[in-house]
Amino acid sequence: DGAASVGVTASQMQQFQRTAVAVAQEVVSPERRNFLIPCAPRHEDGADAGCATRFLGSVGRLLWRRPLTAAELAGVVQSADTTADHLKDFYGGLSVALEGMLISPRMVYIIDRSERDPDPMHAGQRRLDAYSLASRLSFFLWNAGPDDELLREAGSGQLETAAGRAKAVDRMLRSSRLETGVRAFFDDMLGYDDFSVLAKDPLIYPKFVGDTVPDAREQALRTIVDHLLVRRGDYRDLFTTRHTFLSPSLALLYGVAVPAGWTPYEIPPDSQRVGLLTQIAFLSLHAHPGTSSPTLRGKALRELLLCQRVPHPPPNVDFSAITNPNPNLHTMRERLTAHRSNPVCAGCHRIVDPIGLGLENFDGVGEYRSSEGGSLIDASGTLDGRSFKDAAGLGQAVHDDPALPACLVSRLYSYGVGGPVVNDDQDRSILSYLDARFAQQGYRVPDLLRTIALSEAFSQVSEPPAAESAPSKTAATAAAAAAAGAAAVRRVAKGAAMQPVK
């Protein structure tokens, strides 16, 4: 569910290299070189160390998210010069050097460097250096490397002052790039990578067409961005809002007509479509290819949104009551009741089914239905003692559950610092503070982002020098990480501490 380090497979590295080759060739192409390369060589049929130094030093600072050392810059310029002389092509040499920089561990990995001396205010802690702090801020808020201005603030020392850091964070929060960062976080947190393998039976669900999957993902992310950033709404209201956006492919499942493109849409007050849980993304992603699944939906709600761990089913479970049910059992509620008669299954299903059954008015692709097998659907249930009668009531119960905002706080903090919450005294103290501030701020996510980014914990690392290690099995990556003085990290939104359901 979370990681503080990550490796790259051989096939992924091949993809990186193919992309790097394509990018480098585009940069030096005749159509773009005059715009992207700030100098021209004395002769195009050989090396020009001066022009190569000027270009590679400038672009390397952005790619590696810090200025290159003299030795690093000399190495990449030597690569460009040697290749240019061999090919008798200055731009060919520049392309090869740029490709090498693009696939370097310094580019591929986020490498946290700490200051040489421990934090004098916090025993056992070390602070990120200014350039690592700039990277941590930019990947947290923008899901991208730092821009020129943030790197200049790191280099001048402004980022290491409270006022300078606050100024930088406020600028980043005002930027349009914040939307990219928020989309990336929720895309990760809600497990939308699973859309790449989502399949539905076309005979059962003919309305689930080719555009439905990307549009379902986009609908959820548009709703999130609009509610949290444009409207600056209460995070909890994402689960009760009736405002969303529709495309023609989604409108087919919603049973309404909309023009081409994306259209703002207000769901009627008598509809059961309320909040994220009743959108096509959640409903279709957490269901089977040919049926709905209260179990999968309840499990996803607990684990993704409430940070509660649901135990895995024991081996050799008999699923015949579900997969080959008694024909007299017309609804999923009746089939699950029969399945829970097995005491081995009852424990887990007791904590997920009463939630997921609240969404049973929506089939396996999220289309509304009032009956199943000729019987009216009963969508009532409970969430940790809170009863509800339908999907709208479930949305309100989720809205009111204190675990909902606490889970977001934990996930955002984990995402920001690049590793899972370990649930020790220090992390619990930090999360308790962030929880309280989030509530005081009206559960507004931009304010929470600012609180996390400006907290002392955000800029601290605890690895002592002797424990610093590399994230990858490759010698090159190991050398880079060892030289950097800290482990490379990948931001994982699912890295929050997961509590068992009681």
Side-chain angles (χ1 to χ4, degrees):
D1 287 327
S5 63
V6 63
V8 177
T9 66
S11 62
Q12 288 172 327
M13 210 53 225
Q14 289 173 352
Q15 291 178 336
F16 289 153
Q17 185 161 20
R18 285 194 294 268
T19 302
V21 169
V23 169
Q25 290 177 347
E26 281 292 307
V27 169
V28 304
S29 67
E31 298 83 7
R32 292 176 171 80
R33 64 179 59 157
N34 291 336
F35 174 70
L36 295 174
I37 300 174
C39 55
R42 294 188 302 272
H43 305 286
E44 291 189 10
D45 58 356
D48 184 334
C51 185
T53 299
R54 185 177 174 189
F55 171 69
L56 294 172
S58 174
V59 76
R61 171 176 169 270
L62 292 172
L63 293 178
W64 290 1
R65 304 176 287 276
R66 60 172 176 79
L68 277 64
T69 65
E72 289 169 338
L73 183 56
V76 295
V77 170
Q78 180 62 44
S79 171
D81 288 352
T82 301
T83 306
D85 286 336
H86 178 73
L87 298 176
K88 300 191 181 305
D89 179 2
F90 169 78
Y91 291 105
L94 211 59
S95 176
V96 169
L98 180 57
E99 175 194 337
M101 297 181 77
L102 286 166
I103 62 173
S104 164
R106 299 171 181 85
M107 165 68 185
V108 175
Y109 290 101
I110 302 169
I111 301 174
D112 284 340
R113 293 174 177 79
S114 61
E115 295 175 335
R116 292 184 179 275
D117 298 323
D119 184 347
M121 301 299 294
H122 300 87
Q125 295 291 327
R126 290 155 60 87
R127 293 178 297 197
L128 295 174
D129 71 16
Y131 289 108
S132 292
L133 177 57
S135 287
R136 180 171 284 191
L137 286 170
S138 63
F139 281 107
F140 177 46
L141 298 175
W142 289 350
N143 194 41
D147 63 2
D148 180 70
E149 185 171 350
L150 192 59
L151 288 173
R152 281 192 284 105
E153 290 169 339
S156 68
Q158 294 179 54
L159 208 56
E160 295 174 295
T161 69
R165 184 161 151 192
K167 180 182 176 182
V169 168
D170 288 341
R171 176 182 71 88
M172 298 176 76
L173 290 171
R174 290 192 303 269
S175 169
S176 61
R177 300 178 72 182
L178 180 63
E179 176 179 337
T180 302
V182 168
R183 288 173 68 99
F185 168 77
F186 281 99
D187 197 66
D188 186 17
M189 170 180 158
L190 297 173
Y192 286 169
D193 282 349
D194 292 342
F195 275 119
S196 63
V197 295
L198 181 64
K200 298 295 177 181
D201 189 322
L203 297 179
I204 300 174
Y205 303 122
K207 295 181 184 178
F208 199 82
V209 297
D211 290 338
T212 305
V213 168
D215 284 5
R217 186 179 199 164
E218 180 64 18
Q219 179 197 23
L221 294 175
R222 279 178 181 253
T223 304
I224 289 168
V225 167
D226 178 71
H227 181 78
L228 298 181
L229 300 186
V230 178
R231 299 169 182 263
R232 285 187 58 86
D234 184 322
Y235 167 69
R236 302 169 301 169
D237 292 345
L238 274 174
F239 301 91
T240 57
T241 182
R242 292 185 178 272
H243 185 79
T244 187
F245 300 84
L246 289 184
S247 68
S249 69
L250 297 179
L252 191 64
L253 290 168
Y254 274 66
V256 299
V258 297
W262 285 95
T263 304
Y265 182 72
E266 195 74 27
I267 297 167
D270 60 344
S271 172
Q272 287 299 305
R273 297 272 186 193
V274 178
L276 291 184
L277 298 180
T278 61
Q279 291 187 355
I280 305 301
F282 185 86
L283 295 168
S284 63
L285 198 57
H286 305 294
H288 297 300
T291 65
S292 66
S293 176
T295 302
L296 291 179
R297 289 170 178 173
K299 182 176 186 292
L301 194 159
R302 283 205 182 274
E303 294 193 335
L304 299 181
L305 300 172
L306 304 181
C307 291
Q308 296 170 350
R309 185 178 67 251
V310 175
H312 294 296
N316 302 319
V317 174
D318 180 10
F319 289 104
S320 60
I322 301 296
T323 58
N324 186 28
N326 183 325
N328 295 318
L329 303 178
H330 299 151
T331 66
M332 183 63 76
R333 180 182 290 273
E334 292 172 336
R335 292 190 289 275
L336 284 172
T337 299
H339 182 62
R340 287 197 302 272
S341 65
N342 182 344
V344 175
C345 307
C348 292
H349 282 273
R350 246 194 323 266
I351 60 179
V352 294
D353 292 352
I355 309 171
L357 285 167
L359 299 171
E360 266 301 281
N361 277 128
F362 303 97
D363 64 17
V365 296
E367 187 171 17
Y368 183 81
R369 59 188 180 174
S370 59
S371 63
E372 180 187 9
S375 297
L376 286 176
I377 291 173
D378 175 6
S380 63
T382 58
L383 171 60
D384 298 338
R386 288 178 289 276
S387 298
F388 54 84
K389 64 178 182 179
D390 51 26
L394 171 61
Q396 187 63 53
V398 172
H399 173 287
D400 296 340
D401 194 321
L404 179 72
C407 180
L408 181 72
V409 167
S410 183
R411 292 201 185 284
L412 265 175
Y413 174 72
S414 170
Y415 185 80
V417 301
V421 174
V422 297
N423 206 26
D424 60 9
D425 289 342
Q426 181 181 356
D427 275 354
R428 281 194 293 270
S429 175
I430 293 167
L431 294 180
S432 178
Y433 165 75
L434 295 174
D435 286 342
R437 288 288 295 156
F438 193 30
Q440 292 166 6
Q441 295 160 346
Y443 299 104
R444 285 169 173 77
V445 167
D447 294 335
L448 174 60
L449 293 172
R450 187 179 192 274
T451 301
I452 293 173
L454 296 181
S455 66
E456 290 185 355
F458 187 83
S459 61
Q460 291 176 344
V461 289
S462 56
E463 295 86 355
E468 290 159 355
S469 59
S472 151
K473 297 179 181 178
T474 65
T477 304
V489 297
R490 174 176 179 262
R491 277 131 186 84
V492 182
K494 298 175 185 177
M498 301 283 280
Q499 303 297 327
V501 183
K502 298 178 180 178

